[in-house]
Amino acid sequence: MSDFLTIKGITAGYGDGPAILDDAKMTVQEGKVHCIIGPNGAGKSTMMKAIAGMLPLRKGEITFKGENIAGLRPDQMLRRGIAFVPQERALFPKMTVRENLRMGGYILNDDKALSSRIDEIFDRFPILRERADQHAGTMSGGQQQTLAMARTLILRPDVVMFDEPSLGLAPKIVREMFQIVRLIADTGVTVLLVEQNAVMGLRHADWGVVLDLGRTLFEGPSAEVLADPRIQELYLGGQKVA
Ligand SMILES: Nc1ncnc2c1ncn2[C@@H]1O[C@H](COP(=O)(O)OP(=O)(O)OP(=O)(O)O)[C@@H](O)[C@H]1O
Ligand SMILES: [Mg+2]
């Protein structure tokens, strides 16, 4: 279906523990926003970690632009163009906004290019320019999330993965965060999202993936996921979504 990024039959777990992902799959289309939903403990974060190379795969394939990239390390995934913002955001709280952005581009090894890319980020996210010299840890949750997302863009990735970007944010800020997601996708970057607020996540996505007990139960256009009565009952809090 897609020869961009395909995740097929992946099985993975932590250490010698049980398989947390069991035959999970996902089709990723270039330039689209994808939202992974599912109950707590379903394996959503584990799925992102597995794609990012942070967990060894026991089985399965990850193909990206025609190549099997399963088994690559996180830094190799990053160099291939797949960036990841974990649930805990992983900023350096005692560093400034600018320093955090510099850290995002350290593998460039080119100071001039890095500075000009940071300038581009400041043009796209003016709030970060305003806060350039502020310690990241002293900013609001929304600003920190903006920084975490913007930082991935320094390396001009093809794919960005955001785990629960709306976590702990006020509703108004959550809406802004989804606008940023759309902005990123509009520049041609493919987005994978995990969202606790499944209805809202799916409404802002093109493609929906339902994960439960480590297995992909359904994937398809997000409008179809939202309209499916069984998915509504089991995973969307019984909400009828037109
Ligand atoms: N570092 C870890 N070591 C061992 N087990 C883990 C680890 N991280 C997660 N797990 C286990 O893997 C399972 C899936 O967790 P995961 O974090 O992927 O779920 P999730 O769908 O992201 O849930 P949530 O909605 O709560 O974020 C859970 O049973 C969890 O206890
Ligand atoms: Mg999670």
Side-chain angles (χ1 to χ4, degrees), residues 39-46 49 87 163-164 194 196:
N40 291 116
K44 305 180 298 296
S45 297
T46 304
K49 287 187 237 172
Q87 205 163 323
D163 192 354
E164 307 260 12
V194 167
Q196 194 65 246

Coordinates of all heavy atoms in Angstrom, one line a residue, residues 39-46 49 87 163-164 194 196, ligand 2:
P39 N -6.3 1.9 25.0 CA -6.4 2.1 26.4 C -5.0 2.2 27.1 O -4.0 1.9 26.4 CB -7.1 0.9 26.9 CG -7.1 -0.1 25.9 CD -6.9 0.6 24.6
N40 N -4.9 2.6 28.3 CA -3.7 2.6 29.1 C -3.1 1.3 29.1 O -3.7 0.3 29.2 CB -3.9 3.0 30.6 CG -4.4 4.4 30.7 OD1 -5.5 4.7 31.2 ND2 -3.5 5.4 30.3
G41 N -1.8 1.2 28.8 CA -1.1 0.0 28.8 C -1.2 -0.8 27.6 O -0.7 -2.0 27.5
A42 N -1.8 -0.3 26.6 CA -2.0 -1.0 25.3 C -0.7 -1.2 24.5 O -0.6 -2.1 23.7 CB -3.0 -0.2 24.4
G43 N 0.3 -0.4 24.8 CA 1.5 -0.5 24.1 C 1.8 0.6 23.2 O 2.7 0.5 22.3
K44 N 1.1 1.7 23.3 CA 1.2 2.8 22.4 C 2.7 3.4 22.5 O 3.3 3.6 21.4 CB 0.2 3.9 22.6 CG -1.2 3.4 22.6 CD -2.3 4.5 22.9 CE -2.2 5.1 24.2 NZ -2.5 4.2 25.4
S45 N 3.1 3.7 23.7 CA 4.4 4.3 23.9 C 5.5 3.3 23.4 O 6.5 3.6 22.8 CB 4.7 4.7 25.3 OG 3.8 5.7 25.7
T46 N 5.2 2.0 23.7 CA 6.2 0.9 23.4 C 6.3 0.9 21.8 O 7.4 0.7 21.3 CB 5.7 -0.4 23.9 OG1 5.5 -0.3 25.4 CG2 6.7 -1.5 23.7
K49 N 8.5 3.7 20.8 CA 9.9 3.4 21.2 C 10.5 2.3 20.3 O 11.7 2.4 19.9 CB 10.0 2.9 22.7 CG 9.8 4.0 23.7 CD 10.0 3.5 25.1 CE 8.8 3.7 26.0 NZ 8.9 3.1 27.3
Q87 N 7.0 10.6 25.8 CA 5.9 11.2 26.6 C 6.5 12.2 27.6 O 5.8 13.2 27.9 CB 5.3 10.0 27.4 CG 3.9 10.1 27.8 CD 3.2 8.8 28.1 OE1 3.5 7.8 27.5 NE2 2.4 8.8 29.2
D163 N 4.7 11.5 21.5 CA 3.9 10.6 22.4 C 3.2 11.5 23.4 O 3.8 12.2 24.2 CB 4.9 9.7 23.1 CG 4.1 8.6 23.9 OD1 2.9 8.6 24.0 OD2 4.8 7.7 24.4
E164 N 1.9 11.5 23.3 CA 1.0 12.3 24.2 C 1.4 13.7 24.3 O 1.6 14.2 25.4 CB 1.0 11.7 25.6 CG 0.7 10.2 25.6 CD -0.7 9.9 26.0 OE1 -1.6 10.8 26.0 OE2 -1.0 8.7 26.2
V194 N 0.6 9.8 19.5 CA -0.2 9.0 20.4 C -1.1 10.0 21.2 O -0.6 11.0 21.6 CB 0.7 8.2 21.4 CG1 -0.1 7.6 22.5 CG2 1.4 7.1 20.7
Q196 N -4.1 10.3 24.2 CA -5.0 9.8 25.3 C -6.4 10.3 25.0 O -7.4 9.5 25.1 CB -4.6 10.4 26.6 CG -5.2 9.7 27.8 CD -4.7 8.3 27.9 OE1 -5.5 7.4 27.8 NE2 -3.4 8.1 28.1
Ligands
MG2 MG 2.1 5.8 26.8

